[in-house]
Amino acid sequence: MESSLVFDLTMMMAKILVILAGTLGVVPIMVWFERRGAAWMQRRVGPNRVGPFGLLQPLADVIKFIFKETFIPKEANKFYYLMAPIIALIAPLCALAVIPFGSKAIINGQEVILQVAQMDTGVIFILAFAGLEVYPVILAGWASRNKYSVLGALRGSSQIVSYEISMGIALLSMLVVYGSFNPHDMVAWQQGSLGFLPRWGAFVNPIGALIFWISIFAETNRLPFDLAEGESEIVAGYHLEYGGMKFAAFFMAEYVAMIMASGLLATLFFGGYGLPPGMSELVNIISAHFGFGAAGMQNTKAAFEFISFATKIAVFMFLFVWIRWTLPRFRFDQLMDLGWKILFPLSIINLVVVTLGVYYFNS
Amino acid sequence: MSLPIIILCLISAILAVTMLFAKSPITSALCLLGVLIMTAGVYGLIGEHMIATIQLVVYAGAIMVLFIFSIMLLNLSNSENDFKQKPKIFIFGLAIGLSVFAFIANSILTHFQNHSSDRQLGIFTPQVVSDLGGNSKVLSHALFSQFYVSFEVISLALLVAVVGAVVLAKRKID
């Protein structure tokens, strides 16, 4: 069957819809889980009034956000003040375009690669949009004309810029291992096994995985790296002057960035959408049971791959919440020491070691 | 040229003019950021994803952050008067700018897709590049084989610049 424009457009729209609905739909669940999880870890009850187990609490929050007065401080620079939350939400959503959520499906006899944008730069594209995540912090802090906001913005942007370096070098060490920018190649590389372990990036290059994992906490401004917000010190940091849906946009952006970072971490270090050992036999059994053809088998495989990827993201999201309610916030000098004196040299040494290892094993 | 490219070019041109005539330094910096992102968009639309991504990573993600960060740190918004143009210098600068622009535009219009010109085309046509496995592969291969000496020399120059900056900043603090 020939590839037609209508088919391509429909598939592209469908993929974008899956990504948007998936991420923005997970946000309310995460907000609920964050509050219930916090209560659970601190032996409190948490929100339990709206709906069963307080599940409708995010909905009540959204209604409240929408009906709040749109308030703009008199001294604020209106244009930049309103622009900041928009950029905050757009940047991580754009980065999600390159993260594959499955290998390929066969629809109507045609192969559909389950990734929105297939580019030869792949993972570097994500770095480009992760780099743009500094701007909303700077802009919001600067445009609000508030001392605490400016302090939060300065802290936040210096933190993000500092940790971006070790994150980039950790990523580089994995690129040396995979020899490709393409996330599909990375997932294919991680399909093998190392003895009893799957050949995941995290087992090949554990120090790189650790550095990358720590850095994404700093990049997404999550505790213990939430100096940009630091409620006990600078009220709410860069989004202090924001209320209603404008604040909700920042709030959503934080969770979208977390999902994006978890997806990247899963793809780079934890096998991405690759099936865990034993799952491919399950796919074969199911296909044989229902009598699927080659196309049906591929689609079943794609569905399982999507579930595998979503499970990995869910695990990392849980870790984000768990760590938030376990570790206290760093002091600013401790944060900079960790970033520049520990993670940065460690990531360079790790890069050299990994490069030598790759050279040794390839020759 | 397709319609999206024309739209991006128009937005980029408007932002560039705004950058020149804006009163506050932060508006200028943000307009420059907009121009860089729009240019990256144009690169992406003509299929040069590698250059578009590098443009975003290096210029939008690193250099402009530094600009805006230093503008915020120094709080330059008080010195808006320094940015008033003096008519004589402005006209002189405009004349130079226009002549350079005319020269570049002329040279692009003569040589763009005009293979009869005396300039020799490189071997890397789009077909060859895609056969060799994409832009990023070809570029990195050229960088680390044919041009590795110049690549290392440039990294050495950057190292010198970093050491120099640290020395200068340290002297001020001590």
Side-chain angles (χ1 to χ4, degrees):
Chain A
M1 201 179 283
E2 260 181 49
S3 161
S4 68
L5 186 67
V6 179
F7 181 80
D8 285 350
L9 263 181
T10 325
M11 282 303 124
M12 185 54 84
M13 287 297 168
K15 282 188 277 188
I16 292 173
L17 201 70
V18 166
I19 293 273
L20 273 182
T23 44
L24 296 181
V26 162
V27 169
I29 301 170
M30 271 313 291
V31 173
W32 174 83
F33 179 71
E34 181 116 56
R35 298 177 66 181
R36 281 298 278 204
W40 171 44
M41 286 168 203
Q42 297 171 342
R43 297 191 136 201
R44 290 187 284 116
V45 181
N48 65 344
R49 296 285 154 185
V50 195
F53 307 108
L55 263 173
L56 296 178
Q57 183 69 39
L59 195 71
D61 288 346
V62 166
I63 293 171
K64 182 190 151 203
F65 276 138
I66 289 174
F67 286 105
K68 270 194 150 187
E69 183 192 5
T70 30
F71 172 75
I72 299 173
K74 209 176 98 194
E75 289 292 310
N77 189 325
K78 246 185 216 164
F79 183 68
Y80 299 134
Y81 176 83
L82 291 176
M83 203 161 74
I86 301 174
I87 305 178
L89 200 50
I90 287 176
L93 277 177
C94 282
L96 274 170
V98 225
I99 297 176
F101 50 92
S103 55
K104 59 193 172 193
I106 295 174
I107 295 166
N108 224 354
Q110 291 182 47
E111 280 188 3
V112 178
I113 295 172
L114 297 178
Q115 178 192 21
V116 175
Q118 288 101 43
M119 285 187 280
D120 63 333
T121 42
V123 175
I124 305 295
F125 184 83
I126 300 175
L127 271 196
F129 280 93
L132 293 188
E133 275 173 48
V134 198
Y135 288 108
V137 177
I138 300 184
L139 267 185
W142 182 83
S144 302
R145 293 275 163 99
N146 181 315
K147 271 180 218 161
Y148 296 118
S149 299
V150 171
L151 278 176
L154 286 176
R155 282 176 170 200
S157 44
S158 53
Q159 167 193 324
I160 294 175
V161 170
S162 309
Y163 279 78
E164 213 164 58
I165 299 172
S166 33
M167 180 176 135
I169 298 175
L171 178 67
L172 199 60
S173 64
M174 274 339 270
L175 290 180
V176 170
V177 173
Y178 299 135
S180 168
F181 289 146
N182 188 343
H184 290 288
D185 291 353
M186 294 177 181
V187 174
W189 195 92
Q190 295 178 79
Q191 291 302 306
S193 64
L194 288 171
F196 62 97
L197 291 170
R199 196 164 73 165
W200 285 352
F203 299 124
V204 177
N205 180 10
I207 298 173
L210 187 68
I211 294 170
F212 193 85
W213 189 47
I214 294 173
S215 303
I216 62 172
F217 274 85
E219 289 288 308
T220 49
N221 276 328
R222 290 284 296 184
L223 242 126
F225 294 97
D226 75 332
L227 283 120
E229 291 163 29
E231 286 92 348
S232 52
E233 297 154 16
I234 47 172
V235 196
Y238 64 96
H239 56 57
L240 167 60
E241 296 283 359
Y242 287 84
M245 272 322 272
K246 297 195 291 298
F247 168 72
F250 274 119
F251 204 57
M252 270 151 71
E254 184 180 323
Y255 286 98
V256 174
M258 276 159 65
I259 293 169
M260 191 269 283
S262 306
L264 186 56
L265 188 66
T267 308
L268 279 173
F269 294 102
F270 292 91
Y273 57 75
L275 295 175
M279 287 282 269
S280 39
E281 276 90 64
L282 189 65
V283 172
N284 289 339
I285 290 168
I286 289 176
S287 307
H289 180 74
F290 290 103
F292 288 150
M297 203 169 142
Q298 181 60 38
N299 286 345
T300 322
K301 198 176 158 220
F304 271 95
E305 282 169 346
F306 184 73
I307 293 169
S308 152
F309 189 56
T311 315
K312 281 167 190 168
I313 288 185
V315 169
F316 293 126
M317 297 297 276
F318 174 72
L319 281 176
F320 266 112
V321 175
W322 189 8
I323 283 171
R324 172 169 183 178
W325 300 109
T326 306
L327 295 176
R329 183 183 306 133
F330 283 114
R331 223 168 49 217
F332 193 70
D333 58 326
Q334 291 172 333
L335 172 97
M336 284 294 152
D337 277 358
L338 177 67
W340 287 102
K341 293 185 183 161
I342 299 173
L343 290 186
F344 177 51
L346 190 65
S347 59
I348 289 187
I349 295 169
N350 183 48
L351 175 64
V352 173
V353 171
V354 167
T355 315
L356 290 176
V358 169
Y359 182 75
Y360 174 75
F361 280 110
N362 283 2
S363 61
Chain B
M1 271 202 288
S2 60
L3 187 67
I5 294 186
I6 295 173
I7 293 172
L8 282 185
C9 291
L10 277 180
I11 298 174
S12 155
I14 292 168
L15 283 172
V17 172
T18 324
M19 177 191 82
L20 281 177
F21 293 101
K23 281 212 172 102
S24 78
I26 200 125
T27 310
S28 294
L30 285 172
C31 285
L32 181 55
L33 173 68
V35 171
L36 294 171
I37 292 177
M38 294 301 148
T39 321
V42 172
Y43 289 145
L45 282 178
I46 58 174
E48 300 296 336
H49 297 152
M50 181 72 187
I51 299 174
T53 315
I54 296 296
Q55 169 103 355
L56 278 180
V57 171
V58 176
Y59 289 100
I63 292 178
M64 285 316 293
V65 172
L66 200 67
F67 274 32
I68 293 175
F69 202 69
S70 49
I71 289 173
M72 266 177 54
L73 263 184
L74 302 173
N75 205 7
L76 282 179
S77 54
N78 299 331
S79 56
E80 283 178 4
N81 295 332
D82 300 351
F83 283 83
K84 274 186 185 156
Q85 290 99 1
K86 295 185 178 96
K88 266 185 194 169
I89 298 177
F90 178 68
I91 290 169
F92 185 64
L94 192 69
I96 292 184
L98 278 180
S99 50
V100 170
F101 177 74
F103 177 73
I104 294 173
N106 179 41
S107 122
I108 287 174
L109 288 178
T110 330
H111 297 295
F112 183 64
Q113 287 180 340
N114 181 8
H115 301 303
S116 60
S117 71
D118 55 345
R119 308 274 163 102
Q120 189 159 8
L121 286 170
I123 53 163
F124 290 113
T125 57
Q127 187 55 44
V128 174
V129 168
S130 68
D131 285 349
L132 285 175
N135 240 329
S136 41
K137 219 166 214 171
V138 174
L139 184 73
S140 21
H141 193 262
L143 215 54
F144 290 106
S145 58
Q146 196 181 353
F147 300 107
Y148 78 97
V149 177
S150 17
F151 183 75
E152 291 303 323
V153 169
I154 289 170
S155 65
L156 209 63
L158 282 174
L159 185 68
V160 169
V162 168
V163 172
V166 169
V167 167
L168 284 177
K170 194 121 190 6
R171 194 182 292 158
K172 230 175 193 173
I173 292 169
D174 292 341

